[in-house]
Amino acid sequence: MSNITGKIIGLGSFFPANVVTNDDLAKIVETNDAWIQERTGIKQRHIADGVNEKSSTMAVKAAKAAVEDAGIDPKDIDLIVCASTSPDLMFPTLATTVQEAIGATEDCGCFDVNSACPGWLAAFNTVQGFIESGNSKLALVIGAETLSNVTDWTDRGSCILFGDGAGAAVLKAEEGKRNELIMRSSGARGECLHLETSKQPKRYDEEGFEKKTVMYMAGRDVFRFAVTEVPKLITDLSVKYNFDLADVDYFILHQANARIIESTAKKLEINLEKFPMTIEKTGNTSSASIPALLTEMKKDGRLKKGMKLVFASFGGGLTWNANYIEY
């Protein structure tokens, strides 16, 4: 088997200018800064203006930053995959919007994926499949979300959690350890975290339908699911691919809730210092959270070539994925 894999050579992110603090939220729902921080670890989040800052525009800005960081000619990119649960465009895809904006050629394949919060990992795995099979040499993987458009701002249990933003990575075909992954799903448990589309005019008069067109989350159920399944998934990943969790440099987890990350570290008996977090500043940005976290770690010097990384994410579906890579 060939040892060609997709190496991350460039990273970029973008967050809207408008910052909404916990104190700001306390003006619209019954909550306070201490209550939110204690339960989530979140202090603030970025909220898009919906005009100049949308999933498409943020995807473009994150992609341009990643391309610049990689030092590549965008004309050499042959594949763009964008993950989003909150696109402003149904079609054309966000990926093709990025293609035009960065100057990629018509020889570049483009498509979007939707796998809720693990969307970027789903896109990453898809791109790795293209690269490892020889069908792509230089690819762009993006996560972009405007969750504020689908947040129920009257629900204090969920509106405190979410923010907007985008993250992107450039993957180049190189010699190296291949991508190792586990992907799991449970449609039977999907009801506890779901969102219906408002584009169903025949249902407008249906009692309760309007509430279904914003995110619904049974917070306690999702929390229990995450603190149980994520540590198990990471353990199963290490068993499947025969590596020692103690040798992993960083565990890059989806930034959904600091308490979930802390619980995962505790159950795995691994120092919390190996679980970097940005959630305090960004909230839950769904598919953007992992690439945006990686971008910050590269900028501040924590991320170094050759490091062993575990990615893990969970979200609507329910879906939960994990990867083991060498950066």
Side-chain angles (χ1 to χ4, degrees), residues 241-279:
Y241 292 104
N242 192 30
F243 67 91
D244 192 336
L245 291 177
D247 294 334
V248 174
D249 293 291
Y250 286 114
F251 295 81
I252 312 297
L253 268 57
H254 166 48
Q255 303 292 292
N257 186 312
R259 307 304 162 238
I260 292 172
I261 297 171
E262 291 164 357
S263 175
T264 299
K266 185 176 181 179
K267 287 189 175 183
L268 294 174
E269 298 182 343
I270 293 178
N271 195 310
L272 187 60
E273 290 181 357
K274 287 192 172 186
F275 292 77
M277 288 189 247
T278 52
I279 188 168

Side-chain angles (χ1 to χ4, degrees), residues 63-77:
K64 285 183 175 179
V67 167
E68 182 179 355
D69 183 55
I72 60 167
D73 186 338
K75 292 182 173 61
D76 293 330
I77 295 173

Side-chain angles (χ1 to χ4, degrees), residues 300-313:
D300 65 24
R302 280 178 290 173
L303 201 56
K304 295 176 172 49
K305 283 296 180 183
M307 279 187 164
K308 297 173 181 177
L309 306 178
V310 165
F311 300 153
S313 186

Side-chain angles (χ1 to χ4, degrees), residues 208-229:
F209 175 67
E210 187 176 351
K211 270 286 187 183
K212 295 178 181 178
T213 63
V214 290
M215 276 189 288
Y216 168 79
M217 184 175 70
R220 292 181 180 178
D221 292 341
V222 174
F223 185 90
R224 283 193 291 264
F225 153 74
V227 298
T228 300
E229 297 294 350

Side-chain angles (χ1 to χ4, degrees), residues 18-317:
N18 181 38
V19 173
V20 175
T21 67
N22 293 343
D23 289 334
D24 292 330
L25 289 182
K27 297 173 184 177
I28 62 172
V29 290
E30 185 182 348
T31 191
N32 60 68
D33 178 64
W35 189 90
I36 296 172
Q37 284 199 54
E38 180 184 348
R39 287 159 178 79
T40 69
I42 299 169
K43 291 184 179 180
Q44 64 176 49
R45 68 288 295 147
H46 298 258
I47 302 297
D49 65 16
V51 179
N52 298 307
E53 299 161 337
K54 302 177 287 186
S55 292
S56 57
T57 59
M58 293 191 294
V60 167
K61 288 178 179 179
K64 285 183 175 179
V67 167
E68 182 179 355
D69 183 55
I72 60 167
D73 186 338
K75 292 182 173 61
D76 293 330
I77 295 173
D78 55 29
L79 180 64
I80 301 173
V81 182
C82 186
S84 183
T85 60
S86 51
D88 48 291
L89 300 169
M90 295 305 294
F91 56 84
T93 63
L94 298 184
T96 52
T97 303
V98 170
Q99 175 200 26
E100 178 187 13
I102 68 173
T105 72
E106 292 184 358
D107 290 326
C108 176
C110 297
F111 59 93
D112 292 354
V113 300
N114 178 350
S115 187
C117 294
W120 188 82
L121 284 188
F124 179 85
N125 289 333
T126 301
V127 167
Q128 287 286 18
F130 274 80
I131 291 174
E132 293 180 354
S133 64
N135 289 300
S136 173
K137 293 183 178 179
L138 191 64
L140 190 55
V141 191
I142 308 161
E145 302 286 2
T146 314
L147 296 177
S148 57
N149 285 344
V150 292
T151 294
D152 183 351
W153 293 102
T154 68
D155 177 11
R156 75 167 190 162
S158 64
C159 75
I160 62 173
L161 298 173
F162 301 106
D164 301 333
V170 175
L171 271 62
K172 183 180 180 181
E174 293 182 357
E175 287 280 342
K177 188 182 77 65
R178 291 166 69 91
N179 179 44
E180 297 174 344
L181 68 137
I182 294 178
M183 300 178 72
R184 290 175 176 161
S185 305
S186 175
R189 289 188 273 180
E191 188 65 20
C192 68
L193 181 53
H194 73 267
L195 167 66
E196 293 196 32
T197 176
S198 61
K199 305 298 183 182
Q200 300 178 70
K202 293 182 181 180
R203 299 185 63 193
Y204 285 165
D205 295 331
E206 180 183 314
E207 184 178 355
F209 175 67
E210 187 176 351
K211 270 286 187 183
K212 295 178 181 178
T213 63
V214 290
M215 276 189 288
Y216 168 79
M217 184 175 70
R220 292 181 180 178
D221 292 341
V222 174
F223 185 90
R224 283 193 291 264
F225 153 74
V227 298
T228 300
E229 297 294 350
V230 173
K232 182 178 184 299
L233 179 67
I234 293 172
T235 300
D236 290 349
L237 184 73
S238 70
V239 172
K240 180 178 179 180
Y241 292 104
N242 192 30
F243 67 91
D244 192 336
L245 291 177
D247 294 334
V248 174
D249 293 291
Y250 286 114
F251 295 81
I252 312 297
L253 268 57
H254 166 48
Q255 303 292 292
N257 186 312
R259 307 304 162 238
I260 292 172
I261 297 171
E262 291 164 357
S263 175
T264 299
K266 185 176 181 179
K267 287 189 175 183
L268 294 174
E269 298 182 343
I270 293 178
N271 195 310
L272 187 60
E273 290 181 357
K274 287 192 172 186
F275 292 77
M277 288 189 247
T278 52
I279 188 168
E280 174 183 293
K281 301 180 293 183
T282 66
N284 180 346
T285 56
S286 189
S287 64
S289 75
I290 287 180
L293 171 55
L294 288 169
T295 301
E296 178 166 307
M297 291 178 67
K298 183 174 184 180
K299 285 180 177 178
D300 65 24
R302 280 178 290 173
L303 201 56
K304 295 176 172 49
K305 283 296 180 183
M307 279 187 164
K308 297 173 181 177
L309 306 178
V310 165
F311 300 153
S313 186
F314 61 91

